[in-house]
Amino acid sequence: MNRAGLEEHFDLKGRPALDRLLRFEAPIAARYDAEHSAERVADLRSAILVGLVFYNLYNITSFALLPDTIGLSLILRLGMVTPLALALVWAIGRISPLWTERFVAAAVFGTYVVPVFLFWNSHSPLGLFTFGELSLTIIFANMLLTLRFFYAILFTSGALAVTLLAIASKSDLGTPLAFAFTVQVLTACAFALYANYREERRRSLDYLATLSAKLEASGAHEATRTYRDLSLTDALTQLPNRRSLTDQLEKAFGQRRPLAALMIDIDHFKSYNDTLGNPAGDDCLRRVADCFARIAANTDGAFCARFGGEEFTFLLQDRGELVAARLARLILRDVTNLAIVHPARSDGLGIVTVSIGVARASWGATGSPQDLLHAADAALYSAKRRGRNQFSLWDSQAEQSTVVI
């Protein structure tokens, strides 16, 4: 999507919008996911696998601290959480970025509930020492997994709620310890969530700054291309202009491609313009130019440009004199079929016609684009001298033109 498609999602200062929960608007989020989803999946997979290793190491401490629930600890950690975590590692590369974030947040919350339950369920005097594991899990989710800030809020709020519920309902926990544990979990949640916010804000703003720079660069490139196109286009007829014609000629001569040039002039155009006025003259030029554009579009290897005034030029990949002559006849016929009324012709024909000079590039002798145009122009004036509404072929050997009606 280019800047024009994204600009409605920028703020008043021209920066991409970002809400208070550090979420991109949908088009920007889709672009971010397309660019970074593979990297995100790789980071999540490695973090989950590392976290899973340390998570199961707590089974070792459970033998000493939770002897009354060691069996339950092994079942929950190794038998339930571990296979589900491995399934998540496999799945997150195969589901959408949105559902990846949702599943990861839900999974880490489920993982967190297990040590909370073991802490609450155990009546071992040493079981209270497992409370520190809860803070580490909260920090892991917010800082190592780096949950997206919206899901970090949901996870941290849920973790705080179940922990406070466990503290409040644990019958063998005295008030001083309950107070101390409450302060610890509140501190852990606030610290981890703040760290997550800083990291996510930095990630989001860095991406938006990069995106803005890319879009500005793209906009500048598009503007440059637009200005270049305008500089190569005739404003009145929308055909390529003489500068564009020169570029095409130099390119063809540089590649030594066989080339034919047709120089075309609207017959008696001055009298048409003087009689009907400039607006009518401009309209006549546009209609003839449209006709030429259609012919060029339907002719393989053809290029048409406005040479200047009422003159136009066709360039054609040269495939022989007969092909160039066939194109000249087609142009004469189609312009005549336009039936543009010309009330001021001295020959009494009464409609707009054109005269054409045809020349072909000769690679057997030294030549230039200007030589080709001069030859086509000479052939054009030969056609005009002999009555107009016809074309003339330039004979490079005899250095004269042959008129064909």
Side-chain angles (χ1 to χ4, degrees):
M1 181 179 292
N2 56 27
R3 186 178 181 90
L6 288 172
E7 61 184 4
E8 63 181 291
H9 305 287
F10 283 59
D11 62 22
L12 295 177
K13 295 183 179 180
R15 298 171 301 194
L18 186 69
D19 69 14
R20 293 183 179 180
L21 296 177
L22 306 182
R23 293 176 298 188
F24 301 130
E25 292 200 23
I28 298 176
R31 179 169 178 149
Y32 179 88
D33 290 336
E35 294 175 359
H36 295 280
S37 60
E39 178 186 354
R40 175 64 170 164
V41 166
D43 288 345
L44 286 173
R45 281 175 169 169
S46 62
I48 292 171
L49 291 174
V50 169
L52 194 60
V53 171
F54 287 100
Y55 185 75
N56 280 294
L57 284 177
Y58 276 98
N59 282 317
I60 299 174
T61 63
S62 293
F63 281 98
L65 302 179
L66 301 172
D68 56 340
T69 58
I70 183 60
L72 183 60
S73 176
L74 292 172
I75 291 172
L76 293 176
R77 292 178 189 271
L78 287 174
M80 186 177 71
V81 171
T82 298
L84 289 176
L86 293 176
L88 180 62
V89 168
W90 174 85
I92 57 177
R94 296 167 171 81
I95 57 178
S96 70
L98 176 62
W99 280 102
T100 291
E101 300 300 334
R102 289 174 176 175
F103 278 136
V104 169
V108 74
F109 178 75
T111 301
Y112 179 80
V113 170
V114 170
V116 173
F117 175 73
L118 294 174
F119 164 80
W120 174 82
N121 188 61
S122 176
H123 296 286
S124 170
L126 299 178
L128 300 179
F129 289 101
T130 63
F131 191 83
E133 180 185 351
L134 305 183
S135 297
L136 291 177
T137 306
I138 293 171
I139 292 172
F140 168 80
N142 282 283
M143 299 178 66
L144 190 57
L145 282 180
T146 321
L147 296 175
R148 297 297 182 241
F149 185 60
F150 173 73
Y151 296 107
I153 292 175
L154 295 180
F155 163 77
T156 306
S157 299
L160 179 61
V162 297
T163 306
L164 292 178
L165 179 62
I167 292 173
S169 60
K170 188 170 176 60
S171 58
D172 56 347
L173 191 63
T175 300
L177 280 178
F179 175 77
F181 285 160
T182 299
V183 172
Q184 286 182 26
V185 73
L186 284 171
T187 303
C189 287
F191 170 79
L193 192 59
Y194 176 64
N196 177 274
Y197 172 81
R198 285 172 57 90
E199 180 62 26
E200 281 294 277
R201 186 172 184 271
R202 183 181 298 110
R203 173 190 66 85
S204 300
L205 293 179
D206 285 349
Y207 176 71
L208 293 181
T210 301
L211 177 60
S212 293
K214 286 181 178 179
L215 293 176
E216 287 177 5
S218 175
H221 177 72
E222 290 178 4
T224 300
R225 185 171 58 189
T226 298
Y227 291 140
R228 181 181 181 277
D229 291 343
L230 289 173
S231 71
L232 297 175
T233 302
D234 178 64
L236 177 64
T237 64
Q238 297 304 303
L239 287 176
N241 60 16
R242 188 164 179 174
R243 176 180 175 184
S244 181
L245 173 68
T246 300
D247 289 346
Q248 291 292 323
L249 280 168
E250 290 178 350
K251 181 178 179 181
F253 270 71
Q255 297 174 352
R256 298 189 66 81
R257 296 203 308 263
L259 193 68
L262 286 72
M263 190 69 75
I264 306 167
D265 185 81
I266 299 177
D267 296 328
H268 301 290
F269 184 74
K270 184 177 185 304
S271 60
Y272 182 96
N273 210 44
D274 291 344
T275 301
L276 299 179
N278 290 331
D282 289 347
D283 184 62
C284 175
L285 290 172
R286 281 191 289 264
R287 292 181 63 184
V288 172
D290 289 344
C291 175
F292 291 165
R294 288 192 298 270
I295 293 173
N298 294 319
T299 303
D300 186 36
F303 170 85
C304 180
R306 185 183 182 191
F307 191 79
E310 67 271 24
E311 287 190 310
F312 299 83
T313 304
F314 266 82
L315 299 181
L316 179 68
Q317 182 180 347
D318 188 21
R319 294 188 294 273
E321 187 174 278
L322 291 178
V323 175
R326 189 179 302 121
L327 176 60
R329 288 192 180 95
L330 176 63
I331 293 170
L332 290 172
R333 185 199 69 188
D334 284 6
V335 172
T336 300
N337 289 342
L338 292 176
I340 302 173
V341 176
H342 192 323
R345 287 187 70 129
S346 58
D347 57 7
L349 191 56
I351 60 172
V352 170
T353 61
V354 296
S355 297
I356 305 173
V358 181
R360 298 164 57 210
S362 174
W363 300 118
T366 302
S368 68
Q370 291 72 28
D371 294 332
L372 179 63
L373 293 180
H374 288 159
D377 197 52
L380 167 65
Y381 277 94
S382 178
K384 281 185 166 294
R385 284 194 304 270
R386 302 188 188 191
R388 295 182 171 83
N389 192 24
Q390 54 190 283
F391 70 92
S392 175
L393 299 172
W394 176 258
D395 186 344
S396 60
Q397 299 299 323
E399 294 192 351
Q400 64 183 15
S401 58
T402 301
V403 176
V404 182
I405 302 176

